[in-house]
Amino acid sequence: MSPTSTTEKSSTMGGIPGHDNFALLSVGSVISLQTSSDPRYPIENILDGFVKEKLISLCENSTLIKSTIKTFWITTGLAPQEFVLTFPFTLKIKKIVLWSAKVASWSIEKSVNEKPQDFEPVGDLESEDADSHLQVSTMIFPTQSLNTNTTATNAILHAKEASAYQGSGEKFIIARHLKITITKMYNEFCSVHKILASGERM
């Protein structure tokens, strides 16, 4: 499966993870392997969650809560680059979302072993270059992929809608580990800002 989608502009809000994200340090998930390291941008940044900010709406005189991206991991070499996300327990994963910049394509694999080994392919994603915007690449099960760009204005996410690729597949994948590989880049460096793995514990 190698889905590709085109990007359309929209002002609708979207792509903000809820309480069902298991790709968080706070639930015990860790990065058990990585191919790039920069102490200024540690890979744990992609698991630190979205920052909640309070904003005052002048027209409504009320407080609004917005989700923002503050931190990220940056690669230090050419593609391919990869990292392994290890959960504290086995999950039924229904959706995977990746927030990034300058990533051209991804490959996702899974493992159910206690140790991160014996990976099986899940699928591939291609992302359009978004210039100064953030890319949002989504894989939903039954197999479906979405690629969008987000404009970070005052660190607030404004998601852009995209067309969807619909294919056949399982309603979820079972995984203890996810291997996420950046197979192509639009630049010598790229960044991964956040990851969402939505589902339920086995």
Side-chain angles (χ1 to χ4, degrees), residues 75-95:
T75 61
T76 57
L78 300 176
Q81 297 286 333
E82 68 182 33
F83 60 91
V84 174
L85 169 59
T86 295
F87 304 105
F89 35 70
T90 303
L91 295 173
K92 291 181 179 179
I93 299 174
K94 300 179 181 179
K95 179 169 67 173

Side-chain angles (χ1 to χ4, degrees), residues 16-41:
I16 306 302
H19 64 278
D20 60 342
N21 184 13
F22 288 96
L24 293 170
L25 293 171
S26 59
V27 300
S29 294
V30 298
I31 301 298
S32 54
L33 181 147
Q34 67 189 83
T35 55
S36 289
S37 178
D38 186 329
R40 297 171 299 174
Y41 309 103

Side-chain angles (χ1 to χ4, degrees), residues 91-137:
L91 295 173
K92 291 181 179 179
I93 299 174
K94 300 179 181 179
K95 179 169 67 173
I96 299 169
V97 186
L98 296 157
W99 284 260
S100 63
K102 296 300 179 181
V103 175
S105 60
W106 307 85
S107 177
I108 300 176
E109 301 171 76
K110 67 180 180 71
S111 170
V112 296
N113 288 354
E114 183 177 350
K115 295 182 179 181
Q117 57 190 24
D118 299 328
F119 284 90
E120 300 175 355
V122 173
D124 302 312
L125 288 168
E126 294 184 5
S127 301
E128 292 185 0
D129 191 3
D131 296 324
S132 60
H133 302 162
L134 285 180
Q135 303 161 300
V136 183
S137 301

Side-chain angles (χ1 to χ4, degrees), residues 121-179:
V122 173
D124 302 312
L125 288 168
E126 294 184 5
S127 301
E128 292 185 0
D129 191 3
D131 296 324
S132 60
H133 302 162
L134 285 180
Q135 303 161 300
V136 183
S137 301
T138 303
M139 185 173 289
I140 302 173
F141 305 97
T143 308
Q144 174 187 118
S145 71
L146 300 171
N147 290 309
T148 68
N149 297 332
T150 61
T151 306
T153 304
N154 295 326
I156 302 172
L157 298 183
H158 297 279
K160 299 180 180 180
E161 296 177 340
S163 61
Y165 169 91
Q166 178 68 57
S168 60
E170 301 295 332
K171 294 182 178 179
F172 53 82
I173 61 169
I174 298 175
R176 178 70 185 274
H177 315 272
L178 290 178
K179 180 188 288 186

